Amino acid sequence: MAYKTVNPYTNEVVKEYPYATQEQIESALSNANDLYNKWKLEVPQSRAKQLHEIADLMRQNSDDLAKTMVTDMGKLLREAKGEVELCAMIADYFADHGAELLKTKKLETIATGDAQVKKHPLGTLLMVEPWNFPYYQIMRVFAPNFMVGNPMLLKHAAITPGSALAFEKIVKDSSAPDASLTNLFLNYDQVSDVIADPRIQGVALTGSERGGRSVAKAAGFNLKKNTMELGGTDSFIVLDDADIDEVTKIAWRARLYNAGQVCTSSKRFIVADNLYDQFVAKLKENFAKGKPGDPMDNQTTLAPMNSEKAKDKLQSQVDEAIEKGATLAYGNEPVDLSGQFFQPTILTDIKPDNPAYSEEMFGPVAQVYKVSSEQEAIDLANDSDLGLGGIVFSGDPKRGEKVASKIETGMVFVNNFMVSLPELPFGGVKNSGYGREMSDLGLNAFVNEQLIVTATKPNMDNLAGGLVATDPE
Ligand SMILES: NC(=O)c1ccc[n+]([C@@H]2O[C@H](COP(=O)([O-])OP(=O)(O)OC[C@H]3O[C@@H](n4cnc5c(N)ncnc54)[C@H](O)[C@@H]3O)[C@@H](O)[C@H]2O)c1
Ligand SMILES: O=CCCC(=O)O
């Protein structure tokens, strides 16, 4: 069995699903292509009502949807409900603004005729998604592309099949056409085959660098447009004039939210030397407060990790970091529960030759670095192959903004927690990937921006310097 829900709190195997059959794949591609041929003749506004309906259905079914996610990958129930609400907000946002953002743009030109860029759908897309936000990752691609008119096939993570089916059901229960989103339990070879199919016109992946490289290779070989939302080692810079009380209220949340399994979690805290001791002491105090337990229980504040495999990988990264010279400032004790719990852990004194310096740790482990100048903080933040997000704290927001603009990542927040909202572009640089999701940038990721220049009759007068054949006479 290929796709499997294993509850990471109880370790119970809840349900298993086989890989998709060739017939299922062919039927999904064919139905999606038929829908594309229908949608391309319609205006985006005609889909807004259906997208609002999907938002409403998500809100009405929030409890069940949230519980499905908790069973699949173990996040806290109240965080799961927050994720469902964010999905509904994203759907509402693109339903309200999609048509306006996709409207035809007129261009000023010396060419003969009226020039305009029209935005057409591209065709069917394949989205390949990870388990850490089982619905939100889908919705980031689904809502904008539904408005554009691109039908979608979903390949979700093998450990979150329940969430994949629940999202698909919401779409099918709405008045949106069934082929708007089809879930397929694909294996990696089937992913490559689907990408190669001429009916697929784009691929959106969120996941690891390794997964990204594989899928981008197949997309590149087949000349399919693609976006890659990959990992991060985001820094949280505390400048020497920062308000340490405000900083410490945010810092632990920025690391421990979703059991630390967030691409934009603050993974490297880079702290000015005058505030370092206070920062580490307060981080330890806050990390010690987590109450492990059943993620369905509202009293629990420390959720299990998503799987035994993920926990084992994090444990081996922490063990190696310590073996190679890092100081264990807090944590790394076993949690006395049978689920996949990892005690929040703080590592310091990590030198550049320690593998932990450059690896992404995808769980509740914070690295803290001491720096003696603003420039040292910037250099350390940029000394990474990844470039997703980041946070800068300063008593002077203008100074914080200046430092933020020197950080080589796709997103930086000054004096606050990073938030993801439909109107804000999301994405990274370097090995964190390329392209953006959400906002107008995400909406335009898979659009044919078609130039049309309309003249009433030919006029050669204004073509001097243009690429035209020389007059034979
Ligand atoms: N930038 C972002 O928006 C973002 C968001 C969430 C997670 N992430 C990153 O995702 C990673 C955690 O997720 P993961 O480890 O499950 O990622 P992963 O790359 O293993 O899996 C993500 C998806 O890609 C599929 N996949 C992986 N390799 C593939 C291959 N060779 N062919 C076809 N499909 C393949 C998986 O089955 C899954 O559906 C972390 O690095 C995290 O930072 C990034
Ligand atoms: O895990 C990555 C997405 C989380 C976010 O939107 O910040």
Side-chain angles (χ1 to χ4, degrees):
M1 286 292 163
Y3 283 64
K4 198 196 286 191
T5 292
V6 181
N7 183 326
Y9 173 61
T10 61
N11 300 322
E12 175 204 357
V13 176
V14 178
K15 198 157 180 185
E16 303 184 44
Y17 306 83
Y19 289 127
T21 61
Q22 273 319 108
E23 290 68 36
Q24 285 169 329
I25 296 172
E26 175 50 35
S27 151
L29 281 163
S30 162
N31 292 340
N33 195 48
D34 290 349
L35 180 59
Y36 162 65
N37 284 322
K38 176 172 177 286
W39 269 354
K40 72 184 180 191
L41 306 174
E42 297 173 359
V43 292
Q45 191 56 43
S46 63
R47 289 182 285 278
K49 196 164 156 270
Q50 294 166 347
L51 194 51
H52 275 308
E53 210 186 303
I54 288 168
D56 292 346
L57 281 171
M58 292 205 84
R59 290 195 175 98
Q60 285 158 24
N61 292 281
S62 175
D63 272 14
D64 286 348
L65 286 168
K67 283 178 183 155
T68 300
M69 266 194 286
V70 177
T71 308
D72 265 351
M73 50 68 71
K75 68 171 62 197
L76 297 178
L77 183 63
R78 64 175 170 282
E79 291 183 1
K81 287 183 186 166
E83 182 177 338
V84 175
E85 174 54 28
L86 176 60
C87 289
M89 279 171 65
I90 296 170
D92 280 339
Y93 176 84
F94 284 103
D96 286 336
H97 301 283
E100 172 70 18
L101 294 171
L102 288 166
K103 74 176 196 288
T104 299
K105 191 168 136 200
K106 292 205 180 307
L107 300 180
E108 293 278 327
T109 174
I110 61 164
T112 301
D114 293 330
Q116 53 183 326
V117 172
K118 281 189 179 283
K119 302 200 176 174
H120 301 290
L122 273 190
T124 303
L125 309 179
L126 172 67
M127 66 167 104
V128 181
E129 300 300 338
W131 46 265
N132 69 336
F133 291 98
Y135 302 137
Y136 157 69
Q137 302 289 6
I138 304 174
M139 189 57 99
R140 285 199 326 202
V141 178
F142 176 78
N145 284 294
F146 183 85
M147 289 305 287
V148 169
N150 293 321
M152 285 153 272
L153 306 186
L154 165 67
K155 183 255 175 275
H156 215 323
I159 65 168
T160 46
S163 306
L165 292 171
F167 195 106
E168 183 189 52
K169 181 170 185 313
I170 289 287
V171 176
K172 295 208 185 313
D173 286 350
S174 76
S175 60
D178 277 1
S180 309
L181 179 86
T182 306
N183 173 63
L184 289 169
F185 291 134
L186 300 177
N187 62 35
Y188 290 177
D189 288 341
Q190 290 173 322
V191 167
S192 297
D193 292 346
V194 168
I195 292 173
D197 191 285
R199 289 165 290 190
I200 290 289
Q201 288 301 319
V203 184
L205 176 135
T206 296
S208 65
E209 239 183 290
R210 204 169 75 168
R213 280 181 201 284
S214 262
V215 171
K217 188 173 167 191
F221 180 79
N222 289 288
L223 302 177
K224 302 291 166 75
K225 206 171 179 190
N226 63 90
T227 53
M228 291 289 140
E229 298 283 355
L230 310 178
T233 49
D234 289 5
S235 53
F236 182 121
I237 297 178
V238 183
L239 295 175
D240 54 10
D241 61 351
D243 178 337
I244 194 69
D245 292 332
E246 293 298 332
V247 166
T248 51
K249 272 188 232 157
I250 303 280
W252 69 273
R253 294 173 208 276
R255 189 63 195 100
L256 297 188
Y257 173 63
N258 209 35
Q261 305 164 113
V262 184
C263 53
T264 49
S265 294
S266 297
K267 292 166 190 141
R268 298 179 296 150
F269 292 90
I270 300 175
V271 186
D273 47 10
N274 61 319
L275 299 174
Y276 180 87
D277 289 343
Q278 250 179 299
F279 179 87
V280 174
K282 200 71 191 167
L283 196 66
K284 280 186 202 174
E285 201 180 302
N286 285 326
F287 270 31
K289 287 181 188 159
K291 266 191 259 133
D294 183 351
M296 296 280 188
D297 180 347
N298 276 333
Q299 303 303 312
T300 302
T301 55
L302 178 68
M305 293 187 66
N306 69 86
S307 63
E308 187 176 8
K309 188 171 155 213
K311 180 184 154 185
D312 290 350
K313 179 175 176 197
L314 186 64
Q315 187 64 65
S316 69
Q317 287 178 304
V318 169
D319 291 347
E320 188 180 18
I322 295 169
E323 200 186 298
K324 301 262 164 74
T327 302
L328 174 66
Y330 178 77
N332 198 30
E333 296 282 342
V335 174
D336 192 17
L337 285 171
S338 58
Q340 304 307 323
F341 290 91
F342 198 100
Q343 188 190 24
T345 292
I346 303 172
L347 298 174
T348 60
D349 304 313
I350 297 167
K351 302 285 178 285
D353 61 353
N354 192 320
Y357 184 85
S358 39
E359 281 171 5
E360 180 184 37
M361 288 191 173
F362 212 58
V365 178
Q367 304 184 356
V368 192
Y369 297 83
K370 189 197 285 191
V371 288
S372 52
S373 71
E374 180 182 299
Q375 191 56 48
E376 195 185 340
I378 295 167
D379 292 344
L380 180 49
N382 288 339
D383 192 16
S384 169
D385 290 339
L386 300 173
L388 191 57
I391 294 177
V392 177
F393 263 88
S394 167
D396 173 2
K398 284 282 159 221
R399 180 183 176 205
E401 204 177 296
K402 262 197 202 155
V403 169
S405 71
K406 293 178 185 160
I407 306 300
E408 294 161 357
T409 65
M411 306 166 277
V412 185
F413 280 62
V414 177
N415 290 341
N416 212 349
F417 196 83
M418 280 196 76
V419 288
S420 297
L421 292 167
E423 63 273 25
L424 304 179
F426 189 100
V429 296
K430 303 202 258 184
N431 292 354
S432 291
Y434 46 82
R436 294 291 179 267
E437 289 184 348
M438 305 223 276
S439 80
D440 59 326
L441 301 181
L443 185 74
N444 283 293
F446 297 103
V447 161
N448 173 13
E449 289 157 321
Q450 184 193 37
L451 171 69
I452 299 183
V453 183
T454 312
T456 41
K457 60 181 172 118
N459 175 356
M460 305 292 283
D461 292 350
N462 60 0
L463 292 177
L467 300 178
V468 286
T470 314
D471 201 327
E473 283 158 28

